[in-house]
Amino acid sequence: MNHRHALLALAVAAGLTLSACKKDQAPATDAAKAPEGETADQFVARVNEEMRKIYPELNAAQWTSATYINSDTELLTAKANERFLSQLNKWIEESRKFEGQKMSPESARAIRLLKLSVAMPPPKDPKKLEELTGIATKMEGMYGSGEYCKGEGSARKCRQLGELEDVLRDPAASYEEQLDAWQGWHTISQPMRKDYTRFVELINTGAKDLGYADTGELWRSGYDMTPAEIAAETDRLWLQVKPLYEQLHCYTRTQLEKKYGDKGEVTGGMLPAHLLGNMWQQDWGNLWPILQPYGNDQAGSLDITGTLKAARDAKEAELLRALDHEATYQERADIAQEADLAEAREMTERAQDFYASLGMPKLPESYWTKTQFIKPRDRDVVCHASAWDIDMKGDVRTKMCIKPNEEDFTTVYHELGHVYYYMAYNDQPPIFQQGAHDGFHEAIGDTIVLSMTPSYLQSIGLVSAQMPSNEAVINAQMRMALAKVAFLPFGLMIDRWRWGVFDGSITPANYNKAWWDLKAKYQGVAPVSARGEDFFDPGAKYHVPGNTPYTRYFLSHVLQFQFYKALCDASGYKGPLHECSFYGNKAAGAKYQAMLSKGASQPWQQTMKELTGGGKMDASAILEYFSPLQAWLKQQNEGKTCGWNAEAGKTTAVPETKQAGA
């Protein structure tokens, strides 16, 4: 996740900052008052200078709050965010005097981006701003420290998100254990409902103060298109890929029913929410043991998780052998942590190697000393993966709780995509230090992930030799589809829910019902037990209490295939798209780096055209990439009734959101 647009997403959809915020009566910085007679160009230059000074303090507070969760760091972050949003309000107010005046195209774009730079639009009223930033900080802390506890007294056991996710990804876990873990995590968000309801009221006030109908309209205004156009564009892209998703859904339902019998069925032909190997049903990769099309004897093993775990365990065993005595309990715990850290760093070094092979620079030494690689044992942290540019000039970091599994391995490559984007556009003025649009930022690292073909994975020793067969192709495609195709409707529905919440068509009394209605409509997923309004299931997904716009992730899953195809073409590759790896290709790297360096200095359509030759987002590269799998899925699903009935189980209709169109 790109911290600049997302961490607490308080600040910038345009990429100026993120995280929880609050307001102080004092101005954000010691920035001077606007000079008399200042021109628009001079104003933009001043804001860029002031922003560069403010940014390190703000991010240092947010970083500390995310890696040391306690009431003190929450207070410091809230106050830092208050100061920043107060200053941002001041800049936006000052910019109004230049409306209609002549200025350079660069300054006009900078002022426009400045006005669109808040994912959490701050109210002008200082008391409301203080209340808003306090709620935002509180909700992030609730999510980061959330845990599910069972038992009493000495038998009481509490588990945080990582441990509960381990249950969902464990093929040996029982149906009941997985249901308990899924339901358990969803209890942590119940106390957020009241806070979130007030949060929505406050940011809508801020959006109206900026001249927008609601926060959803503001979010949809940041794409060099009208709000209605980007909503229609996401509908169009979804309809391109929906037939492929429906085939994957149909095959998955059949396999779950084989394993779980009647327990694997829910009303309307939908998939049970707790059986998809992921807390939010956004990535089905952990279902590989159930969904693997062909055995390893036919296609070769793609067990990345097994290889990584074995490497980590070997490190631990070596450290234990190095002791000249029987390890104490404390020594074993220390050695386990040391082995975890060593493996996490090695996974990150592998990812760095891919970017460096394209001609990009190695990460600065400060990255390796300041990054949070694994979960500390002595404190609560926000484990949700994120990438950070602390000072807009090279202090880059990532924050993860890396475990030796395939999901985290690919996430490392994804997060370094953000980092390399930061480093590439650090020469741009601060207002332009963001993605061409927010979907670009999320697509950079995932484009690299698409190039992690079985042959590449074999070359770095993570998988065995793959047999050159159709079975091997289908296995590889299935693994990728469980991450990429399964995600698409999820990437769409979160903001469909929030757009409705923001414009009032989804009321607080229907928060949970609307959430599950949209999951049914887009994902074909349903809970196995009633989820009434005593729950607040949206809050169990980080990006909701964190207020991070989510359409960017849907768009990134389209863009990454477009970027991948363009880089494969640039590398001179001529074969089937899904077999292309541009690892080590400097020509592809140079083209990619050129795009990254532009940041948001020009409309995204122009940046897109320079890389791909076309100025539109298009999902046809997804269909080209997965064409072998789609044909195979149709064969497997022949004679079955595919699709699902999203109306099954509904009690009352939920109004369509105003701008969504679907």
Side-chain angles (χ1 to χ4, degrees), residues 87-96 114-115 210:
Q87 181 62 60
L88 186 58
N89 264 341
K90 178 174 177 284
W91 287 330
I92 291 171
E93 194 60 37
E94 289 175 352
S95 74
R96 297 183 192 279
L114 185 67
K115 291 177 179 178
L210 292 173

Side-chain angles (χ1 to χ4, degrees), residues 365-376:
E365 183 58 34
S366 60
Y367 171 87
W368 299 100
T369 58
K370 296 180 177 180
T371 278
Q372 175 187 294
F373 291 100
I374 60 174
K375 188 179 189 305

